[in-house]
Amino acid sequence: MTSIIGRAALFSRAAHQAVGQRRKYTGEPYHEHPAAVAALVESAGGTPFMVAAAYLHDVVEDTAVTVDDIAREFGPEIAGHVFELTDQFSDPAIGNRERRKALGRDRLACIHPDSQAIKYADLIDNTSSIVERDPGFAQVYLAEKRELLSVMCHGDQALWRRAWGLMIEGEAKVRAARPGGSDD
């Protein structure tokens, strides 16, 4: 496991385990999420740097690791992807959720196409879990991600179509789960 991908997988796992991070809805070890994102990116033909960045995409956001740490360990290209994928607008002082998500959407619309492809894979992995386990929040989440995908459209087109399809499928599931199963 001396490849850049193997090193990124180990680094991600260790960083997320060091803070005891678990998936919100399932309680499974958090490192399984970046591994799933990396597998999606790899299956879509992503470069080794993209796959490594997919493993690391949440490390800066969720742990004490910095972008500088990523750059020292993995180089500027991977660190650049991780930086682009790290939420820059999570501080509530910036504004309410709607304002923060709008700022994030505008920023993500302009990131590198390879970073956008990683973000599509992230959305794909998160969407099913949210729709299945939290239909109330899923309504908000799916609307936000639909808006995001409408402007963030320069990455891998197969992953983009898959993410878009999951948004539509998720919206149908959420509508069906409402009392009466309709839009009324």
Side-chain angles (χ1 to χ4, degrees):
M1 276 211 144
T2 59
S3 73
I4 197 144
I5 294 171
R7 288 189 310 122
L10 291 172
F11 189 97
S12 173
R13 182 180 187 136
H16 290 292
Q17 285 181 330
V19 296
Q21 192 174 10
R22 308 209 55 93
R23 294 293 307 260
K24 179 177 181 178
Y25 298 110
T26 65
E28 66 193 14
Y30 191 84
H31 67 85
E32 292 180 16
H33 166 64
V37 172
L40 285 166
V41 170
E42 188 168 39
S43 72
T47 68
F49 286 167
M50 290 172 66
V51 176
Y55 271 110
L56 300 165
H57 79 276
D58 280 337
V59 169
V60 171
E61 204 168 295
D62 296 340
T63 75
V65 175
T66 68
V67 172
D68 288 339
D69 295 333
I70 299 294
R72 275 191 299 279
E73 186 68 29
F74 298 100
E77 183 173 343
I78 292 171
H81 290 310
V82 171
F83 174 76
E84 287 185 326
L85 295 164
T86 299
D87 187 354
Q88 305 294 310
F89 305 107
S90 59
D91 185 349
I94 294 170
N96 64 19
R97 180 181 177 93
E98 184 178 347
R99 171 80 175 130
R100 292 190 317 268
K101 293 300 179 181
L103 290 168
R105 181 181 60 243
D106 292 347
R107 180 179 164 278
L108 290 169
C110 301
I111 65 174
H112 192 280
D114 290 349
S115 295
Q116 287 189 2
I118 297 165
K119 184 64 177 176
Y120 304 154
D122 180 43
L123 296 177
I124 290 165
D125 190 60
N126 282 329
T127 297
S128 298
S129 180
I130 291 168
V131 168
E132 289 173 20
R133 293 172 179 91
D134 194 348
F137 175 65
Q139 288 181 280
V140 172
Y141 174 85
L142 291 167
E144 290 169 351
K145 299 318 174 200
R146 181 185 272 267
E147 288 183 23
L148 176 60
L149 287 171
S150 72
V151 298
M152 190 183 70
C153 51
H154 302 293
D156 179 86
Q157 290 302 289
L159 285 174
W160 182 86
R161 285 190 298 276
R162 185 168 171 191
W164 191 258
L166 279 175
M167 295 304 125
I168 294 167
E169 182 182 305
E171 289 168 345
K173 285 181 180 179
V174 168
R175 277 193 306 275
R178 286 190 209 148
S182 71
D183 291 326
D184 296 337

